[in-house]
């Protein structure tokens, strides 16, 4: 049993775009229910015969020959018992998947490397409702109202090289990696700090117990551990110490040989995808460096510490081969040819759906639903802190924004671009979200030229020039430029339709397509007049950052509507621009949210924040996102038929890929 209250905090180290969503989305978070999205019953799939023996035949052969300890000696005293989704599997086979260039390492982490100390349960129900389960640790406790976290290790747990996991591995990870000032000259990541700025205290309680103590409750500590791939709780000290100057006499020489400083070299040595020699706790251990060669190959870990209900050591699948390909078009071809066994990334768009669906029988695969975790297909933010006083005045006019919203024919966009999937919607949590707000999402979404004209007149733009474009009181045309990332074809097409809608009501919009790097340069500098993006969910994460679709907490994300307000907030008033009273009220509520460990209190505070978001109407949204999809070969089992794109859940990891298996012929 665990003594805990769910915490609302989770801050991602990498944003969505850095995870190579590439139009299709990085498809994460598992749900074990539902098969109604597609008719995807396997055709001709063989029945499972059940696991044979307590270990894979190849490992048994090595153990019988004395080249490997017996399976009972390789497993911890209390291995984690995992119940497969459908049935116990059979050993063998190779899981073929793909990554889009070597930068797509998050797919490796989600599919093969999701082994946090505490993990999400397999069914995603939102940040505050999804179960958190002991994973690498045997149990955990939350004490002092969330200021102390105690973890008990599994006795006999071993790294992939057979060496025992000890409290030294936790001590090194915390003291010599996470809070080492040489490794973090710009400051320690805020997960490891109390509000005062002092680092948490790490203590070894006994041979199998460690604890982390903060000066006050630390909301989101467990959630961030489970939902952020960059959080390092333990490292194999027996191996990694050689690369730290505090412990290894040759650390600087080793780094110099690689052409790096030891502070740059150590993080690379601590990355299992870059360093195959790093002992691991993953089900499959990489055998080559990511990006070297055409594929990354990973083979079963003989010391993996999970078993099925029959006590048979996992994983069932022998090997994983992840091909390094250069673009999504090649991925689509490989899917339709049946070259990939289970794939959730990049290709699952509306545009690709006809060809993917049409080739199911040929490729011997089924489609699985992936529910989007986004709040909107596209949002348009008007820069209310623009340096030009006249532009700022225009964009700050709420009636102006409401008028533009009424002018958009959202149904035409949904039917033309998104295959008829979705409903008109503003930037707000959608139905099924724990913070669903129907009024926030549906306000001002009716397509009405008359109502648009009414609000634009109310905004003060009653006069027009000879071309029918509305004029300001100074006689200038009501015109602005919308920035859109050029490799977002859905948004580019939507903007072209919206430009025509706005022209009908006398507003001139110029659409400027930019490469993403240039887009962010302009937006972050506060130079954009209007800019588009996909709307995110309100994660209830209480760390610094996030939530910038609903209040200006992050200078980068909030720069599309209030970058200088966010700068003021994050700099504690030292720079930027003090926001209006209602926005300040939101930010004060957010500070309370960041400080509460109680889930119900956090939800209540978040709803108050969203109520002000509804009133302020920062963004114009278009529609709820359509579901995406992945594929699974017909002879691959124990894979959920439904996923969600909640980045925090990091699926397919929580669905226990070590239980996936092959049976029969596809």
């Amino acid at each position: 049993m665990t003594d805990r209250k769910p915490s609302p905090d989770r801050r991602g180290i990498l944003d969505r775009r850095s995870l190579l969503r590439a139009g299709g989305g990085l498809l994460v978070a598992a749900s074990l229910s539902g098969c109604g999205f597609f008719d995807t019953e396997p055709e001709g799939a063989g029945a499972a015969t059940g696991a044979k023996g307590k270990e894979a035949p190849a490992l048994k052969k090595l153990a019988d020959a004395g080249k490997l300890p017996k399976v009972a000696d390789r497993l911890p005293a209390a291995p984690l018992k995992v119940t497969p989704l459908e049935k116990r599997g059979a050993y063998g086979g190779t899981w073929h998947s793909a990554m889009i260039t070597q930068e797509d390492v998050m797919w490796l982490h989600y599919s093969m490397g999701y082994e946090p100390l505490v993990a999400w349960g397999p069914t995603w129900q939102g940040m505050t409702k999804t179960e958190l389960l002991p994973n690498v640790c045997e149990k955990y406790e939350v004490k002092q109202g969330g200021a102390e976290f105690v973890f008990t290790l599994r006795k006999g747990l071993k790294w992939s090289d057979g060496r025992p996991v000890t409290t030294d591995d936790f001590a090194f990870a915390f003291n010599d990696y996470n809070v080492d000032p040489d490794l973090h000259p710009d400051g320690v990541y805020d997960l490891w700090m109390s509000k005062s700025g002092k680092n948490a205290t790490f203590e070894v309680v006994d041979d199998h117990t460690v604890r982390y103590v903060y000066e006050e409750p630390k909301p989101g500590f467990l959630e961030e551990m489970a939902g952020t791939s960059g959080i390092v709780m333990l490292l194999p000290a027996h191996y990694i110490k050689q690369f730290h100057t505090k412990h290894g006499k040759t650390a600087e020489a080793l780094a110099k040989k690689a052409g790096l400083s030891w502070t740059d070299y150590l993080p690379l040595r601590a990355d299992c995808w870059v360093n195959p020699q790093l002992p691991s706790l993953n089900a499959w251990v990489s055998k080559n460096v990511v990006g070297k060669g055409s594929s990354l190959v990973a083979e079963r870990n003989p010391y993996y510490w999970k078993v099925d209900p029959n006590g048979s050591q996992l994983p069932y699948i022998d090997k994983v081969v992840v091909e390094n390909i250069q673009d999504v078009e090649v991925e689509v071809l490989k899917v339709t040819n049946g070259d990939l066994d289970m794939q959730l990334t990049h290709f699952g768009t509306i545009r690709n759906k006809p060809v993917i669906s049409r080739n199911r029988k040929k490729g011997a695969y089924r489609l699985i639903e992936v529910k989007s975790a986004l709040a909107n297909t596209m949002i348009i933010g008007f820069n209310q802190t623009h340096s030009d006083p006249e532009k700022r005045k225009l964009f700050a006019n709420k009636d102006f924004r409401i008028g533009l919203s009424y002018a958009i024919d959202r149904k035409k966009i949904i039917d033309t671009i998104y295959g008829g999937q979705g409903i008109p919607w503003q930037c707000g949590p959608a139905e099924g979200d724990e913070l669903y707000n129907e009024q926030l999402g549906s306000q001002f979404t009716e397509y009405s030229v008359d109502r648009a004209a009414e609000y634009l007149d109310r905004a003060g733009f009653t006069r027009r020039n000879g071309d029918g474009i509305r004029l300001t009181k100074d006689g200038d045309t009501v015109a602005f430029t919308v920035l859109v990332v050029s490799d977002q074809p859905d948004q580019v097409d939507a903007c072209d339709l919206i430009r025509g809608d706005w022209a009908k009501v006398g507003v001139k919009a110029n659409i400027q397509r930019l490469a993403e790097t240039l887009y962010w340069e302009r937006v972050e500098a506060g130079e954009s007049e209007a800019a588009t993006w996909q709307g995110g969910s309100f994660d209830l994460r209480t760390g610094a950052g996030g939530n910038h679709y609903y209040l200006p907490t992050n200078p980068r994300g909030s720069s599309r509507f209030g970058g200088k307000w966010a700068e003021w907030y994050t700099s504690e008033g030292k720079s930027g621009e003090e926001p209006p009273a209602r926005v300040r009220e939101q930010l004060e509520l957010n500070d309370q949210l960041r400080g509460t460990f109680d889930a119900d209190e956090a939800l209540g505070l978040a709803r108050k924040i969203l109520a002000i978001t509804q009133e302020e109407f920062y963004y114009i949204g278009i529609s709820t996102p359509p579901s995406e999809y992945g594929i699974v070969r017909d002879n691959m089992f124990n894979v959920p038929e439904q996923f969600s794109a909640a980045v925090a859940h990091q699926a397919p990891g929580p669905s226990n890929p070590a239980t996936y298996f092959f049976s029969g012929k596809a």
Side-chain angles (χ1 to χ4, degrees), residues 28-37 40-41 82-87 120-126 130-131 133 342 344 366 368-371 637-645 649 651-657 659-660:
V28 294
S31 170
L32 304 186
S33 63
C35 302
F37 183 59
T40 57
E41 288 299 316
V82 179
T83 301
L85 176 61
E86 298 170 291
K87 49 197 168 186
W120 293 117
T123 304
W124 182 247
Q125 297 177 313
T130 304
E131 191 175 14
L133 304 171
M342 187 271 192
L344 295 180
R366 59 192 184 273
I368 52 179
E369 181 183 8
V370 179
K371 290 189 174 182
F637 295 91
N638 288 337
V639 182
E641 292 297 318
Q642 186 184 88
F643 288 78
S644 163
H649 201 228
S655 69
N656 288 298
T659 64
Y660 298 173

Side-chain angles (χ1 to χ4, degrees), residues 1-3 117-118 134 137-144 146-153 170 203-206 208-213 221-222 225:
M1 296 292 292
T2 60
D3 175 19
L117 201 59
V118 174
C137 67
E138 187 172 346
K139 64 179 180 179
Y140 67 92
E141 296 176 277
V142 178
K143 298 182 176 181
Q144 299 185 51
E148 179 181 345
F149 303 87
V150 181
F151 301 94
T152 301
L153 315 186
F170 287 82
E203 299 176 9
V204 174
V205 179
D206 57 40
H208 295 92
T209 310
V210 298
R211 68 182 172 195
Y212 303 80
V213 183
F221 181 78
L222 297 174
M225 184 192 310

